[in-house]
Amino acid sequence: MTTTETLTPSKPKGFDGKGFDGSGGRGRRARKTPKGRQVETDALEEIQALLTDRPRRRDLLIEHLHLIQDKYGHLSAAHLTALASEMKMALAEVYEVATFYAHFDVVKEGETPPPAITVRVCDSLSCCMVGAETLLAELPAKLGPDVRVIRAPCMGACDVAPVVAVGHVQTFKADVDNVTKAVKAHEHAHAASPITSFDVYRKDGGYSLLKSCLDGSRTREDMIKAVDDSGLRGLGGAGFPTGRKWTLVRAEKGPRLMAVNGDEGEPGTFKDRYYLGLDPHRFIEGLLLAAWVVEASQVYFYLRDEYPELRLMLLEEIAKVEEAGLSPHTTINLRRGAGAYICGEESAMIESIEGKRGLPRHRPPYVAQVGVFGRPTLVQNVETLYWIRDIVEKGASWFTSHGRRERKGLRSFSVSGRVKNPGVKLAPAGVTIRELIEEYSGGMQDGHTLKGFLPGGASGGVLPESMADIPLDFGTLEPHGSFVGSHAVVILSDQDDMKAVALNLMKFFEDESCGQCTPCRVGTEKAVKLMQQGPWNEGLLNELSTAMRDASICGLGQAAPNPLQSVMKHFPDDLKKPLKGW
């Protein structure tokens, strides 16, 4: 017979036989409160008062964060906790979105909130060329400790540089004196007055084309053919044929949606701002026509936060359109960006529309198949929609009658830098840089000689004066390692250091990288460090550029090396000189 011995387990060291709660059992002490940060009653009541009867949907998270930021000047831990509770979201989700966007000031528990007034000084290329660094150096002492002065990326007003935003109100051609006056006034943004009002636009035949579509006088096929015949392309940078895009989206099973990209954050770009302020209803009619063609029941118009006066104006003008019964087929939802250049990339914009961080999506699927809320989505740029009414009413031949050097159509160039008359220049496709300067921009500034230019903002690289006679259009600059993109032109002169130009642009990409992929996140940071050091190590910089181009998820990381590479290629003499800057 086998005897089985009963073994008594030994006690853990330090165990006294009583439970962890002192009761003699082995259970943990019961929590008096749930896990995590607790909701403060006062903070919850303040959030509820702000949101009123607004829906607590996940996609409205960024809109609700703006309400808090606008009211209190920052996002406190207590308010974020209360918002998460009110929206039935994990606090981590709210925090990850709030901390992603530059215009949200997240204040952690125990931290001191920022001063009541924040002054943002644009440090993008056009502003640095005319004194932004001096403003950054002098304003803190002038304004005192009760005002926060920080750097900010391009604010979309390069033609009136330097630009400084006091709160959300911008001061153009800023200097220490007018910024100081703006701080003392500290006004909130007011709705802009459109140059062409709703009544004037309608008297001039506005919305007649839309009505003819809604009443069946025109077919969707008619609209697509007119746009196809004109050769209209996406004018936000990619240049995809508009009529073809409409056809592709229509081929997808409904329900379909539409998103409008008004987040022109490319340094040197400000044409969408110009057209929205000039004639907003021409744009709104184009938007409603495109939505009708693809049968989009909802339109999400994503407008950058740097244009608060336009946002307030558009809310008023869209309401007039709705009251007039001109949008029975769709609903326009105006969404507010929060200071993230990456959201100009269409899939990152869609993530932001859905209330998330603006991280670009992997492709395929493309947004025409899986876009906003997983539905087939038509994405259009502001200027593209602006031209639809004219193209259809005047005929495709009217649009194609413009052009030079066998290029067809009209192009809007945002021109800034060393010219006498910067601004938005409507010119024929195929115009050259030299013609833009001499015929449209009043020539070079006195004492300046053309040395180089950015043909397509920061992403398009820097080309030398010897290429100033190449036609500017889609496909003409690619053989030279550049592209026209959003038609943002910055003119550089013999008084500009091309190494400083490339460094300024690389710092922009470093700051605006979303951080999702290592080649872009680390590559831009490493490139800045290498470029700031003595002589450039061209071999190492070329190797780094190749890695960024080949492995980055989206166009930001892929295009970031363009200024660096073009300066090494076209301006070798500048590489031999010490970094000068402005």
Side-chain angles (χ1 to χ4, degrees), residues 55-67:
R56 270 61 167 171
R57 298 197 317 266
R58 173 68 171 80
D59 61 291
L60 293 175
L61 173 59
I62 294 174
E63 297 295 310
H64 296 342
L65 289 170
H66 273 302
L67 291 175

Side-chain angles (χ1 to χ4, degrees), residues 208-221:
S208 297
L209 175 59
L210 176 63
K211 287 183 176 180
S212 69
C213 292
L214 295 176
D215 66 19
S217 300
R218 291 180 184 267
T219 67
R220 291 177 172 85
E221 289 70 25

